[in-house]
Amino acid sequence: MTSMHHIAQAIDSTAVRKMPAEPTGAAKIFQFHCKTNILHSVFTLKSRIQVLIKGLEHDNF
């Protein structure tokens, strides 16, 4: 019977093998720009929501 320890080791080694390598060069720059664009979009959306909420609060008073 396989112990839980052996099962856990097998799962861990499989997960490590399937992890993508760290991108380099152009791929790394592209990944950075994607993350930056996502953050910018989130902050822009947050700002717009705050403006809408303030506008709604102003209209209610």
Side-chain angles (χ1 to χ4, degrees):
M1 178 179 236
T2 306
S3 72
M4 294 303 272
H5 178 72
H6 289 119
I7 293 171
Q9 280 181 330
I11 291 171
D12 286 343
S13 66
T14 302
V16 169
R17 280 196 309 268
K18 290 185 179 180
M19 287 177 63
E22 183 68 26
T24 58
K28 192 169 193 168
I29 293 168
F30 178 75
Q31 187 180 57
F32 171 78
H33 284 295
C34 287
K35 288 179 183 178
T36 304
N37 288 340
I38 290 169
L39 286 173
H40 176 69
S41 297
V42 168
F43 285 122
T44 301
L45 181 60
K46 180 182 172 190
S47 297
R48 289 181 181 175
I49 290 170
Q50 288 173 334
V51 167
L52 286 172
I53 290 173
K54 287 180 183 176
L56 290 174
E57 289 173 348
H58 179 71
D59 290 343
N60 287 334
F61 291 106

